[in-house]
Amino acid sequence: MPEQTPPDRGQLEDFLDRYDRAAVKAAHEVILSYSTSFSLATRLLEKQVRTDIRNLYAMVRIADEIVDGTARAAGLSHGEIAAALDDYERAVLAAPGRRFHVDPVLHAYAVSARRCGFNPEHVTAFFSSMRRDLNQTTYDEQSFEDYVYGSAEVIGLLCLSAFLVDHPVTDAQRSRMEDGARSLGAAFQKINFLRDLAEDSDTLGRAYFPGLAGHELTEEHKADLIADIRADLAHARTVIPLLPLSARTGVLAAAELFTTLTDRLEELPAAELTSRRVSVPRRTKLAILARAVATARRMTHTS
């Protein structure tokens, strides 16, 4: 039987490039299935940045699904879910060191983690917050801050790493942008907590906001939460002009989408927030994106 001629190096690279593209498409489909607003905002990022952000968020989404009921719905016990999260954390942390993964989402994440230099300490902090969701149902002020840092602020920092590839900045600029990234991540998380009160409480048995467990959301409490969210958003906006244009438009669009969502949450009585999920109509979303394109290009900053 004649020996088969092995493929040359060029052919092998073609195989890997094709798999890279397929993995990126898989990551995009994961995000598209769970968040239309996020998918719309990422369209305004430069192509490579868009790919990296989607790859990152697809990994985050998988971790969320492990702890947010999907694994339980599949029949996994609490111990099995905890083990699955541990396994996934180890896989994610090790992913950048391997060039091929049988899991397309993990493969796509690894491609971006290498390119962007994602800080493994931020990844570890993220999984620490996800682990809280397995065992903790109520929060005080300190544990709430810790949870938001790991679940959202470090994601902002990881996104910033993607934004700044090939865009050197001064230490002072990076420090300001890191503060802004954390504020924007925190705002997004708090907004999602507020709009998901019913699901978190009734389905998952969680009360993230301190002082809310076992109590109805009062108008005074809601006003305090909205004020806190607006303060985070306002601080983040001061930093957006520092971002490269390749990222600035998409970040601005996301910030404006969540600001509009905050406006809608503020308009509703507190009691309604515990029984319905607020959203922004698609037509409004598209108008926000169009304004972001024009506004981002006019933004200027000083060092």
Short mmCIF file of all heavy atoms in Angstrom, two decimals, residues 206-266:
data_model
loop_
_atom_site.label_atom_id
_atom_site.label_comp_id
_atom_site.label_asym_id
_atom_site.label_seq_id
_atom_site.Cartn_x
_atom_site.Cartn_y
_atom_site.Cartn_z
N ARG A 206 -32.02 34.64 44.17
CA ARG A 206 -30.92 35.55 44.53
C ARG A 206 -31.44 36.97 44.71
O ARG A 206 -32.37 37.39 44.04
CB ARG A 206 -29.85 35.57 43.43
CG ARG A 206 -29.20 34.22 43.15
CD ARG A 206 -28.32 34.30 41.92
NE ARG A 206 -27.84 33.00 41.50
CZ ARG A 206 -27.38 32.73 40.28
NH1 ARG A 206 -27.35 33.71 39.36
NH2 ARG A 206 -26.96 31.53 39.97
N ALA A 207 -30.79 37.69 45.62
CA ALA A 207 -31.05 39.12 45.80
C ALA A 207 -29.69 39.79 45.91
O ALA A 207 -29.02 39.72 46.93
CB ALA A 207 -31.86 39.37 47.07
N TYR A 208 -29.27 40.40 44.81
CA TYR A 208 -27.92 40.96 44.77
C TYR A 208 -27.79 42.27 45.53
O TYR A 208 -26.80 42.49 46.22
CB TYR A 208 -27.50 41.19 43.31
CG TYR A 208 -27.21 39.92 42.55
CD1 TYR A 208 -28.12 39.43 41.61
CD2 TYR A 208 -26.04 39.21 42.76
CE1 TYR A 208 -27.87 38.27 40.90
CE2 TYR A 208 -25.78 38.04 42.06
CZ TYR A 208 -26.69 37.57 41.13
OH TYR A 208 -26.44 36.42 40.45
N PHE A 209 -28.77 43.15 45.41
CA PHE A 209 -28.64 44.45 46.04
C PHE A 209 -28.71 44.32 47.56
O PHE A 209 -29.64 43.68 48.09
CB PHE A 209 -29.73 45.41 45.56
CG PHE A 209 -29.58 45.84 44.13
CD1 PHE A 209 -30.58 45.59 43.21
CD2 PHE A 209 -28.43 46.51 43.71
CE1 PHE A 209 -30.45 45.99 41.88
CE2 PHE A 209 -28.29 46.91 42.38
CZ PHE A 209 -29.29 46.65 41.47
N PRO A 210 -27.79 44.91 48.29
CA PRO A 210 -27.82 44.86 49.75
C PRO A 210 -29.13 45.43 50.29
O PRO A 210 -29.63 46.44 49.82
CB PRO A 210 -26.63 45.73 50.16
CG PRO A 210 -25.70 45.68 49.00
CD PRO A 210 -26.59 45.62 47.79
N GLY A 211 -29.68 44.74 51.28
CA GLY A 211 -30.90 45.22 51.92
C GLY A 211 -32.18 44.85 51.22
O GLY A 211 -33.26 45.19 51.69
N LEU A 212 -32.10 44.15 50.08
CA LEU A 212 -33.31 43.86 49.31
C LEU A 212 -33.91 42.49 49.64
O LEU A 212 -35.10 42.28 49.45
CB LEU A 212 -33.02 43.94 47.82
CG LEU A 212 -34.23 43.92 46.88
CD1 LEU A 212 -35.17 45.07 47.19
CD2 LEU A 212 -33.78 43.98 45.42
N ALA A 213 -33.09 41.57 50.12
CA ALA A 213 -33.57 40.21 50.35
C ALA A 213 -34.77 40.20 51.29
O ALA A 213 -34.73 40.74 52.39
CB ALA A 213 -32.45 39.37 50.94
N GLY A 214 -35.85 39.57 50.84
CA GLY A 214 -37.03 39.45 51.67
C GLY A 214 -37.89 40.69 51.73
O GLY A 214 -38.89 40.73 52.45
N HIS A 215 -37.53 41.73 50.99
CA HIS A 215 -38.28 42.99 51.03
C HIS A 215 -38.63 43.42 49.61
O HIS A 215 -37.90 43.16 48.66
CB HIS A 215 -37.46 44.08 51.71
CG HIS A 215 -37.00 43.74 53.09
ND1 HIS A 215 -37.82 43.83 54.19
CD2 HIS A 215 -35.81 43.30 53.54
CE1 HIS A 215 -37.15 43.47 55.27
NE2 HIS A 215 -35.93 43.14 54.91
N GLU A 216 -39.74 44.07 49.46
CA GLU A 216 -40.11 44.66 48.19
C GLU A 216 -39.20 45.85 47.89
O GLU A 216 -38.76 46.55 48.79
CB GLU A 216 -41.57 45.12 48.22
CG GLU A 216 -42.58 43.98 48.21
CD GLU A 216 -42.59 43.21 46.91
OE1 GLU A 216 -42.34 43.84 45.84
OE2 GLU A 216 -42.81 42.00 46.94
N LEU A 217 -38.95 46.06 46.62
CA LEU A 217 -38.18 47.24 46.22
C LEU A 217 -39.02 48.49 46.45
O LEU A 217 -40.11 48.63 45.90
CB LEU A 217 -37.80 47.14 44.74
CG LEU A 217 -37.00 48.30 44.15
CD1 LEU A 217 -35.60 48.35 44.75
CD2 LEU A 217 -36.92 48.18 42.63
N THR A 218 -38.51 49.40 47.27
CA THR A 218 -39.24 50.64 47.54
C THR A 218 -38.82 51.71 46.55
O THR A 218 -37.77 51.61 45.90
CB THR A 218 -38.96 51.13 48.97
OG1 THR A 218 -37.57 51.49 49.07
CG2 THR A 218 -39.29 50.05 49.99
N GLU A 219 -39.61 52.75 46.45
CA GLU A 219 -39.27 53.86 45.57
C GLU A 219 -37.97 54.53 46.02
O GLU A 219 -37.15 54.94 45.19
CB GLU A 219 -40.41 54.89 45.54
CG GLU A 219 -41.69 54.41 44.88
CD GLU A 219 -41.50 54.09 43.40
OE1 GLU A 219 -40.55 54.64 42.78
OE2 GLU A 219 -42.29 53.31 42.85
N GLU A 220 -37.78 54.63 47.32
CA GLU A 220 -36.56 55.25 47.84
C GLU A 220 -35.33 54.42 47.49
O GLU A 220 -34.31 54.96 47.07
CB GLU A 220 -36.66 55.41 49.36
CG GLU A 220 -35.44 56.10 49.98
CD GLU A 220 -35.57 56.25 51.49
OE1 GLU A 220 -36.51 55.69 52.08
OE2 GLU A 220 -34.70 56.92 52.08
N HIS A 221 -35.46 53.10 47.65
CA HIS A 221 -34.34 52.21 47.31
C HIS A 221 -34.05 52.27 45.82
O HIS A 221 -32.89 52.34 45.39
CB HIS A 221 -34.67 50.78 47.74
CG HIS A 221 -33.48 49.88 47.80
ND1 HIS A 221 -33.52 48.59 48.27
CD2 HIS A 221 -32.18 50.09 47.45
CE1 HIS A 221 -32.32 48.05 48.20
NE2 HIS A 221 -31.49 48.93 47.71
N LYS A 222 -35.11 52.26 45.02
CA LYS A 222 -34.91 52.34 43.57
C LYS A 222 -34.23 53.64 43.18
O LYS A 222 -33.31 53.64 42.33
CB LYS A 222 -36.27 52.24 42.84
CG LYS A 222 -36.13 52.08 41.33
CD LYS A 222 -37.43 52.29 40.59
CE LYS A 222 -37.67 53.75 40.32
NZ LYS A 222 -38.75 54.00 39.34
N ALA A 223 -34.62 54.74 43.79
CA ALA A 223 -34.00 56.03 43.49
C ALA A 223 -32.52 56.03 43.83
O ALA A 223 -31.69 56.57 43.07
CB ALA A 223 -34.72 57.14 44.25
N ASP A 224 -32.17 55.40 44.94
CA ASP A 224 -30.76 55.32 45.32
C ASP A 224 -29.97 54.48 44.32
O ASP A 224 -28.83 54.83 43.95
CB ASP A 224 -30.62 54.69 46.72
CG ASP A 224 -31.09 55.62 47.82
OD1 ASP A 224 -31.20 56.84 47.58
OD2 ASP A 224 -31.36 55.12 48.94
N LEU A 225 -30.56 53.38 43.86
CA LEU A 225 -29.88 52.51 42.89
C LEU A 225 -29.69 53.22 41.56
O LEU A 225 -28.62 53.15 40.94
CB LEU A 225 -30.69 51.23 42.69
CG LEU A 225 -30.82 50.30 43.91
CD1 LEU A 225 -31.74 49.13 43.59
CD2 LEU A 225 -29.45 49.81 44.36
N ILE A 226 -30.72 53.93 41.12
CA ILE A 226 -30.63 54.67 39.86
C ILE A 226 -29.56 55.76 39.95
O ILE A 226 -28.77 55.95 39.02
CB ILE A 226 -32.00 55.30 39.50
CG1 ILE A 226 -33.03 54.21 39.16
CG2 ILE A 226 -31.85 56.29 38.35
CD1 ILE A 226 -32.78 53.48 37.87
N ALA A 227 -29.50 56.45 41.08
CA ALA A 227 -28.49 57.50 41.26
C ALA A 227 -27.09 56.91 41.21
O ALA A 227 -26.17 57.50 40.62
CB ALA A 227 -28.73 58.23 42.58
N ASP A 228 -26.91 55.76 41.81
CA ASP A 228 -25.61 55.09 41.81
C ASP A 228 -25.22 54.69 40.39
O ASP A 228 -24.07 54.88 39.96
CB ASP A 228 -25.67 53.87 42.72
CG ASP A 228 -24.33 53.15 42.82
OD1 ASP A 228 -23.31 53.84 43.00
OD2 ASP A 228 -24.32 51.91 42.74
N ILE A 229 -26.17 54.15 39.65
CA ILE A 229 -25.92 53.76 38.26
C ILE A 229 -25.55 54.98 37.42
O ILE A 229 -24.59 54.93 36.63
CB ILE A 229 -27.16 53.06 37.68
CG1 ILE A 229 -27.33 51.66 38.31
CG2 ILE A 229 -27.06 52.95 36.15
CD1 ILE A 229 -28.67 51.02 38.02
N ARG A 230 -26.28 56.06 37.58
CA ARG A 230 -26.00 57.27 36.79
C ARG A 230 -24.62 57.84 37.12
O ARG A 230 -23.95 58.39 36.24
CB ARG A 230 -27.10 58.30 37.02
CG ARG A 230 -28.45 57.89 36.43
CD ARG A 230 -29.35 59.10 36.24
NE ARG A 230 -30.69 58.73 35.82
CZ ARG A 230 -31.03 58.38 34.58
NH1 ARG A 230 -30.10 58.33 33.62
NH2 ARG A 230 -32.29 58.08 34.28
N ALA A 231 -24.21 57.73 38.37
CA ALA A 231 -22.87 58.21 38.74
C ALA A 231 -21.80 57.38 38.02
O ALA A 231 -20.80 57.92 37.52
CB ALA A 231 -22.69 58.14 40.25
N ASP A 232 -21.98 56.05 37.98
CA ASP A 232 -21.04 55.19 37.26
C ASP A 232 -21.00 55.54 35.77
O ASP A 232 -19.93 55.63 35.16
CB ASP A 232 -21.43 53.72 37.42
CG ASP A 232 -21.05 53.15 38.78
OD1 ASP A 232 -20.10 53.66 39.40
OD2 ASP A 232 -21.70 52.18 39.22
N LEU A 233 -22.17 55.72 35.17
CA LEU A 233 -22.24 56.03 33.75
C LEU A 233 -21.59 57.38 33.45
O LEU A 233 -20.87 57.53 32.45
CB LEU A 233 -23.69 56.05 33.28
CG LEU A 233 -24.40 54.69 33.17
CD1 LEU A 233 -25.89 54.88 32.94
CD2 LEU A 233 -23.79 53.86 32.04
N ALA A 234 -21.83 58.36 34.32
CA ALA A 234 -21.26 59.69 34.11
C ALA A 234 -19.73 59.64 34.17
O ALA A 234 -19.04 60.27 33.35
CB ALA A 234 -21.80 60.66 35.16
N HIS A 235 -19.20 58.89 35.12
CA HIS A 235 -17.74 58.78 35.21
C HIS A 235 -17.18 58.07 33.98
O HIS A 235 -16.15 58.49 33.43
CB HIS A 235 -17.35 58.02 36.48
CG HIS A 235 -15.86 57.85 36.61
ND1 HIS A 235 -15.26 56.62 36.60
CD2 HIS A 235 -14.86 58.76 36.73
CE1 HIS A 235 -13.95 56.78 36.72
NE2 HIS A 235 -13.68 58.05 36.80
N ALA A 236 -17.84 57.01 33.55
CA ALA A 236 -17.36 56.28 32.37
C ALA A 236 -17.34 57.17 31.13
O ALA A 236 -16.42 57.09 30.31
CB ALA A 236 -18.23 55.05 32.13
N ARG A 237 -18.35 58.02 30.99
CA ARG A 237 -18.43 58.88 29.80
C ARG A 237 -17.24 59.84 29.71
O ARG A 237 -16.83 60.22 28.61
CB ARG A 237 -19.73 59.68 29.81
CG ARG A 237 -20.95 58.90 29.37
CD ARG A 237 -22.09 59.85 29.03
NE ARG A 237 -23.34 59.13 28.93
CZ ARG A 237 -24.17 58.92 29.93
NH1 ARG A 237 -23.88 59.41 31.13
NH2 ARG A 237 -25.28 58.26 29.77
N THR A 238 -16.69 60.26 30.84
CA THR A 238 -15.56 61.19 30.80
C THR A 238 -14.32 60.53 30.22
O THR A 238 -13.40 61.22 29.80
CB THR A 238 -15.22 61.70 32.22
OG1 THR A 238 -14.74 60.63 33.04
CG2 THR A 238 -16.44 62.34 32.87
N VAL A 239 -14.30 59.22 30.19
CA VAL A 239 -13.12 58.48 29.73
C VAL A 239 -13.27 58.00 28.29
O VAL A 239 -12.27 57.76 27.61
CB VAL A 239 -12.86 57.29 30.69
CG1 VAL A 239 -11.66 56.47 30.23
CG2 VAL A 239 -12.65 57.78 32.12
N ILE A 240 -14.48 57.86 27.81
CA ILE A 240 -14.70 57.33 26.46
C ILE A 240 -13.92 58.10 25.39
O ILE A 240 -13.38 57.48 24.46
CB ILE A 240 -16.21 57.30 26.14
CG1 ILE A 240 -16.90 56.23 27.00
CG2 ILE A 240 -16.46 57.01 24.66
CD1 ILE A 240 -18.41 56.17 26.85
N PRO A 241 -13.80 59.44 25.48
CA PRO A 241 -13.01 60.13 24.44
C PRO A 241 -11.55 59.70 24.36
O PRO A 241 -10.89 59.92 23.34
CB PRO A 241 -13.13 61.61 24.86
CG PRO A 241 -14.40 61.69 25.61
CD PRO A 241 -14.48 60.40 26.37
N LEU A 242 -11.03 59.11 25.42
CA LEU A 242 -9.64 58.64 25.41
C LEU A 242 -9.46 57.39 24.56
O LEU A 242 -8.34 57.09 24.13
CB LEU A 242 -9.18 58.33 26.84
CG LEU A 242 -8.84 59.50 27.76
CD1 LEU A 242 -8.67 59.00 29.19
CD2 LEU A 242 -7.58 60.20 27.30
N LEU A 243 -10.51 56.66 24.33
CA LEU A 243 -10.40 55.39 23.62
C LEU A 243 -10.07 55.59 22.15
O LEU A 243 -10.48 56.59 21.55
CB LEU A 243 -11.71 54.61 23.73
CG LEU A 243 -12.13 54.13 25.12
CD1 LEU A 243 -13.53 53.54 25.06
CD2 LEU A 243 -11.13 53.12 25.66
N PRO A 244 -9.35 54.65 21.55
CA PRO A 244 -9.13 54.72 20.10
C PRO A 244 -10.48 54.70 19.38
O PRO A 244 -11.44 54.08 19.85
CB PRO A 244 -8.34 53.44 19.79
CG PRO A 244 -7.78 52.99 21.10
CD PRO A 244 -8.73 53.46 22.16
N LEU A 245 -10.55 55.36 18.24
CA LEU A 245 -11.81 55.41 17.49
C LEU A 245 -12.29 54.01 17.13
O LEU A 245 -13.49 53.78 17.02
CB LEU A 245 -11.64 56.26 16.23
CG LEU A 245 -12.92 56.53 15.41
CD1 LEU A 245 -13.97 57.23 16.28
CD2 LEU A 245 -12.59 57.35 14.17
N SER A 246 -11.36 53.07 16.97
CA SER A 246 -11.73 51.70 16.62
C SER A 246 -12.63 51.06 17.68
O SER A 246 -13.37 50.12 17.39
CB SER A 246 -10.47 50.84 16.45
OG SER A 246 -9.67 50.87 17.63
N ALA A 247 -12.57 51.58 18.91
CA ALA A 247 -13.40 51.06 20.00
C ALA A 247 -14.40 52.08 20.49
O ALA A 247 -15.46 51.72 21.02
CB ALA A 247 -12.51 50.62 21.17
N ARG A 248 -14.09 53.36 20.34
CA ARG A 248 -14.87 54.43 20.96
C ARG A 248 -16.34 54.40 20.57
O ARG A 248 -17.23 54.54 21.42
CB ARG A 248 -14.26 55.78 20.59
CG ARG A 248 -14.86 56.96 21.36
CD ARG A 248 -14.35 58.27 20.77
NE ARG A 248 -12.89 58.26 20.61
CZ ARG A 248 -12.22 59.00 19.75
NH1 ARG A 248 -12.89 59.82 18.92
NH2 ARG A 248 -10.91 58.93 19.67
N THR A 249 -16.62 54.21 19.28
CA THR A 249 -18.00 54.28 18.82
C THR A 249 -18.85 53.17 19.45
O THR A 249 -19.97 53.41 19.91
CB THR A 249 -18.06 54.18 17.29
OG1 THR A 249 -17.19 55.15 16.72
CG2 THR A 249 -19.48 54.42 16.79
N GLY A 250 -18.32 51.97 19.47
CA GLY A 250 -19.06 50.86 20.05
C GLY A 250 -19.28 51.01 21.53
O GLY A 250 -20.36 50.70 22.05
N VAL A 251 -18.27 51.50 22.25
CA VAL A 251 -18.41 51.69 23.70
C VAL A 251 -19.43 52.79 23.98
O VAL A 251 -20.27 52.67 24.89
CB VAL A 251 -17.05 52.03 24.33
CG1 VAL A 251 -17.21 52.38 25.81
CG2 VAL A 251 -16.08 50.86 24.16
N LEU A 252 -19.36 53.87 23.21
CA LEU A 252 -20.33 54.95 23.39
C LEU A 252 -21.75 54.44 23.12
O LEU A 252 -22.68 54.76 23.88
CB LEU A 252 -20.00 56.11 22.45
CG LEU A 252 -20.96 57.30 22.51
CD1 LEU A 252 -20.97 57.94 23.89
CD2 LEU A 252 -20.60 58.33 21.43
N ALA A 253 -21.90 53.66 22.07
CA ALA A 253 -23.23 53.13 21.76
C ALA A 253 -23.75 52.26 22.91
O ALA A 253 -24.92 52.36 23.30
CB ALA A 253 -23.17 52.31 20.47
N ALA A 254 -22.88 51.40 23.45
CA ALA A 254 -23.30 50.55 24.57
C ALA A 254 -23.69 51.40 25.78
O ALA A 254 -24.69 51.13 26.45
CB ALA A 254 -22.18 49.58 24.93
N ALA A 255 -22.90 52.43 26.06
CA ALA A 255 -23.19 53.30 27.19
C ALA A 255 -24.54 54.00 27.00
O ALA A 255 -25.34 54.11 27.94
CB ALA A 255 -22.08 54.33 27.37
N GLU A 256 -24.81 54.44 25.78
CA GLU A 256 -26.07 55.14 25.52
C GLU A 256 -27.25 54.18 25.55
O GLU A 256 -28.35 54.54 26.00
CB GLU A 256 -26.00 55.86 24.18
CG GLU A 256 -25.01 57.02 24.15
CD GLU A 256 -25.29 58.05 25.23
OE1 GLU A 256 -26.48 58.35 25.49
OE2 GLU A 256 -24.33 58.54 25.85
N LEU A 257 -27.06 52.96 25.08
CA LEU A 257 -28.13 51.97 25.16
C LEU A 257 -28.52 51.71 26.62
O LEU A 257 -29.70 51.65 26.97
CB LEU A 257 -27.69 50.66 24.49
CG LEU A 257 -27.71 50.62 22.97
CD1 LEU A 257 -26.99 49.38 22.47
CD2 LEU A 257 -29.14 50.62 22.45
N PHE A 258 -27.50 51.56 27.47
CA PHE A 258 -27.79 51.27 28.87
C PHE A 258 -28.30 52.52 29.60
O PHE A 258 -29.05 52.40 30.57
CB PHE A 258 -26.55 50.69 29.55
CG PHE A 258 -26.43 49.20 29.37
CD1 PHE A 258 -25.86 48.66 28.23
CD2 PHE A 258 -26.90 48.34 30.35
CE1 PHE A 258 -25.77 47.30 28.05
CE2 PHE A 258 -26.81 46.97 30.18
CZ PHE A 258 -26.24 46.43 29.04
N THR A 259 -27.92 53.70 29.14
CA THR A 259 -28.49 54.92 29.72
C THR A 259 -29.97 55.00 29.41
O THR A 259 -30.79 55.35 30.28
CB THR A 259 -27.77 56.15 29.16
OG1 THR A 259 -26.38 56.11 29.56
CG2 THR A 259 -28.39 57.44 29.70
N THR A 260 -30.34 54.67 28.18
CA THR A 260 -31.76 54.67 27.81
C THR A 260 -32.52 53.62 28.61
O THR A 260 -33.67 53.86 29.05
CB THR A 260 -31.90 54.39 26.30
OG1 THR A 260 -31.21 55.41 25.57
CG2 THR A 260 -33.37 54.37 25.89
N LEU A 261 -31.90 52.48 28.83
CA LEU A 261 -32.54 51.45 29.64
C LEU A 261 -32.73 51.94 31.07
O LEU A 261 -33.78 51.70 31.70
CB LEU A 261 -31.68 50.19 29.62
CG LEU A 261 -32.23 48.95 30.33
CD1 LEU A 261 -33.61 48.58 29.81
CD2 LEU A 261 -31.26 47.79 30.16
N THR A 262 -31.74 52.66 31.59
CA THR A 262 -31.86 53.24 32.93
C THR A 262 -33.01 54.23 33.00
O THR A 262 -33.77 54.26 33.98
CB THR A 262 -30.55 53.93 33.33
OG1 THR A 262 -29.47 52.98 33.27
CG2 THR A 262 -30.62 54.49 34.74
N ASP A 263 -33.15 55.05 31.95
CA ASP A 263 -34.27 56.00 31.90
C ASP A 263 -35.60 55.27 32.00
O ASP A 263 -36.52 55.70 32.71
CB ASP A 263 -34.23 56.80 30.60
CG ASP A 263 -33.01 57.72 30.50
OD1 ASP A 263 -32.41 58.02 31.55
OD2 ASP A 263 -32.67 58.11 29.37
N ARG A 264 -35.72 54.16 31.29
CA ARG A 264 -36.97 53.40 31.29
C ARG A 264 -37.22 52.75 32.65
O ARG A 264 -38.36 52.68 33.12
CB ARG A 264 -36.94 52.35 30.18
CG ARG A 264 -37.06 52.96 28.79
CD ARG A 264 -36.91 51.93 27.68
NE ARG A 264 -37.21 52.56 26.40
CZ ARG A 264 -38.41 52.53 25.80
NH1 ARG A 264 -39.41 51.88 26.37
NH2 ARG A 264 -38.60 53.14 24.65
N LEU A 265 -36.16 52.27 33.26
CA LEU A 265 -36.30 51.70 34.60
C LEU A 265 -36.75 52.75 35.61
O LEU A 265 -37.58 52.49 36.48
CB LEU A 265 -34.98 51.09 35.04
CG LEU A 265 -34.53 49.81 34.31
CD1 LEU A 265 -33.07 49.51 34.61
CD2 LEU A 265 -35.40 48.63 34.69
N GLU A 266 -36.21 53.96 35.46
CA GLU A 266 -36.56 55.03 36.39
C GLU A 266 -38.02 55.45 36.24
O GLU A 266 -38.67 55.83 37.22
CB GLU A 266 -35.64 56.24 36.15
CG GLU A 266 -35.81 57.34 37.18
CD GLU A 266 -34.77 58.43 37.03
OE1 GLU A 266 -34.29 58.66 35.88
OE2 GLU A 266 -34.40 59.04 38.04
#
